[in-house]
Amino acid sequence: MATKRLTKDFTQGSIPKLLLLFTLPFMASNALQVLYSTIDMIIVGHYVGTPGLSAVSQSSQILNFATMVCLGFSNAGQVLISQALGAGKREEMNRIIGTLFSLISILAVVLSAVIMGASPWILNIMNIPAASRDYSTDYLLICGGGLFFTAGYNMVSAVLRGMGDSKRPFLFIGIASFVNLVLDLLFTGLLGWEVAGAAWATIIGQAVSFIFSLFYLYRRRQEFGFDFRRKSFAIDRRYTKMIATLGTPMAIQSGCINLSMLFVNSLINKVGVVASATFGVGIRIDDIINKISQGIQYAAMPMISQNIAARKPKRAVSVVHFSWLYSGIFTVVCMAAYILIGKELFMLFSDDAAVHEMSGTFIKAILWMFPAVAVMRGTGAFIQGIGNARLSMVLAILDGVALRIGLSWLFGIQLGLGFYGFVLGYGLAPYGFAIPGLIYFLSGIWKKRKILADDL
């Protein structure tokens, strides 16, 4: 009975109420997680200036690429945990958790070594402006070295999401955000460590979050349902194969989207440091909005997984419908905020008048993206929740590679629209996921798929 305290049954009860209550902590958690780099950018923008701001924004994209690859495999584990819970297979669920912990730890260490070793080559490929080069190197090396802690937090959060717990991830990231804010002001502002200070503040905050989460769960291991003994971290071959099969497309999906962002960044960096900083700030504001709305998708995924595993497809479909409702409301509010106070949002990050002037161009272009993202919150959760990782990967490649890169190049270079064209291409790309995903969901083809929980 104790194990149930950290798990939640979504196969019964009011869908709109359950989804809303489950979503809100995730939205708050995601907002705080984005607050890490947002605080870095605001403080760096004021204490270091536009070159430092450009460095943090560009380096963050590289780090996000590695983080999202780890998150792809973590999300695969989340789907398996949710389906095991929905099918009542608790013993299998615990073996999945142990395998996931070990796999993500190994992957994070490998990616960290690659980033630190290849950082000069990576920065050359991205066409980092000369004024930002040294700052970018500092940020990339320090945060890249601490990737283990970032991946570790996301792994723990994915496990808890799969178990139906949205409150504790919010607690863990709240602690990290507080530590990051205090150390940012100390290192970058008071001690004058510039961009390196922001990087150390970020990585220490993430380390505190991860260590605290492990300590918390260890103290409550009976409720958590995982004993943390050495043998429990043994890598189970069967579940490794399932996580790899499901997680590889998810990792490719996440990686492609971030890779395309690096490509668009490289195009914009050629325009100059002001365009680089403006795009960096704009993407950070956009990232805040997207990550908060992503809380809806994070909440919907385990709800869909549980109901599919419990053979209650109508409830799973209902989760998608209410995900659209909630994401639609949130999208309208965000679009209104962009239109009414968009320039003021940019002014929070930078004192540079040139950045403020260019912000209007970014806003006009990026607004086209919002309807597609609202649709994706429901259909994306459904496609991943039922375990159709291959379709998710194909749609992500269409979005992240074929359209995000292709359209940015078409509008920005071929049609000569410059900065506006680059951002417009970036903003229209999500329709490559939203429209086919919507067709797949409405067609009912997914009803013929085998349920993953049957193989656990």
Side-chain angles (χ1 to χ4, degrees), residues 3 19 26 35 37-38 109 124 177 200 222 235 266 285 295 322 437:
T3 305
L19 180 60
F26 280 137
L35 197 60
S37 48
T38 302
V109 171
N124 284 336
S177 297
W200 280 115
Q222 288 187 335
I235 297 178
S266 71
I285 296 172
F322 282 102

Side-chain angles (χ1 to χ4, degrees), residues 38-96:
T38 302
I39 289 174
D40 289 343
M41 290 183 67
I42 291 175
I43 293 178
V44 167
H46 285 289
Y47 285 101
V48 183
T50 299
L53 187 63
S54 173
V56 172
S57 66
Q58 304 304 310
S59 299
S60 295
Q61 296 301 325
I62 301 169
L63 295 165
N64 285 342
F65 173 78
T67 300
M68 294 304 289
V69 169
C70 293
L71 186 60
F73 289 98
S74 295
N75 284 341
Q78 173 190 324
V79 171
L80 294 179
I81 290 168
S82 295
Q83 294 221 5
L85 184 61
K89 298 183 178 181
R90 292 182 177 274
E91 184 177 344
E92 290 81 355
M93 183 178 72
N94 294 333
R95 289 204 296 271
I96 294 170

Side-chain angles (χ1 to χ4, degrees), residues 130-397:
S132 303
R133 179 64 184 243
D134 290 341
Y135 290 139
S136 297
T137 299
D138 289 341
Y139 197 87
L140 190 59
L141 290 177
I142 295 170
C143 291
L147 181 63
F148 173 81
F149 300 113
T150 308
Y153 163 76
N154 285 317
M155 172 187 61
V156 171
S157 296
V159 170
L160 291 172
R161 286 197 302 269
M163 298 173 70
D165 185 352
S166 60
K167 295 179 181 179
R168 286 162 187 82
F170 175 66
L171 169 65
F172 302 149
I173 198 63
I175 294 172
S177 297
F178 176 76
V179 172
N180 185 53
L181 173 59
V182 172
L183 294 183
D184 247 329
L185 293 172
L186 174 63
F187 294 160
T188 305
L190 186 61
L191 298 180
W193 290 3
E194 298 183 315
V195 171
W200 280 115
T202 295
I203 210 61
I204 291 173
Q206 291 173 340
V208 169
S209 175
F210 179 52
I211 293 170
F212 180 84
S213 68
L214 288 182
F215 177 76
Y216 183 97
L217 294 176
Y218 178 78
R219 289 289 300 271
R220 291 161 176 78
R221 54 191 178 276
Q222 288 187 335
E223 302 169 32
F224 184 47
F226 185 74
D227 58 20
F228 284 91
R229 294 177 182 176
R230 177 184 289 184
K231 65 178 183 180
S232 299
F233 290 96
I235 297 178
D236 185 293
R237 290 185 179 181
R238 184 160 67 98
Y239 294 128
T240 296
K241 183 178 180 180
M242 294 184 73
I243 291 172
T245 301
L246 190 59
T248 299
M250 288 186 178
I252 293 174
Q253 170 193 355
S254 301
C256 282
I257 293 174
N258 280 272
L259 188 63
S260 68
M261 292 178 68
L262 296 179
F263 180 84
V264 176
N265 270 317
S266 71
L267 293 177
I268 292 175
N269 287 339
K270 293 180 180 179
V271 179
V273 70
V274 173
S276 174
T278 303
F279 187 71
V281 172
I283 289 301
R284 180 56 51 206
I285 296 172
D286 181 58
D287 194 33
I288 294 172
I289 295 172
N290 274 317
K291 284 287 175 62
I292 294 175
S293 71
Q294 198 172 50
I296 300 171
Q297 186 169 333
Y298 279 171
M301 277 178 61
M303 294 181 68
I304 292 167
S305 292
Q306 281 194 27
N307 282 288
I308 288 294
R311 289 172 170 76
K312 296 184 177 181
K314 290 184 178 180
R315 285 182 62 84
V317 169
S318 182
V319 172
V320 176
H321 292 162
F322 282 102
S323 297
W324 284 338
L325 174 62
Y326 296 152
S327 60
I329 293 172
F330 182 79
T331 296
V332 170
V333 172
C334 290
M335 291 181 70
Y338 244 138
I339 294 171
L340 296 175
I341 58 170
K343 185 175 182 179
E344 286 73 13
L345 293 176
F346 276 76
M347 293 171 67
L348 292 174
F349 291 84
S350 175
D351 296 325
D352 193 331
V355 172
H356 302 164
E357 183 67 25
M358 191 173 282
S359 66
T361 303
F362 180 93
I363 293 171
K364 290 177 183 178
I366 204 66
L367 285 174
W368 291 97
M369 182 180 68
F370 283 85
V373 173
V375 172
M376 288 170 59
R377 291 300 169 239
T379 54
F382 186 81
I383 293 170
Q384 291 189 327
I386 65 174
N388 195 342
R390 291 183 180 179
L391 174 61
S392 188
M393 178 187 69
V394 170
L395 296 183
I397 291 175

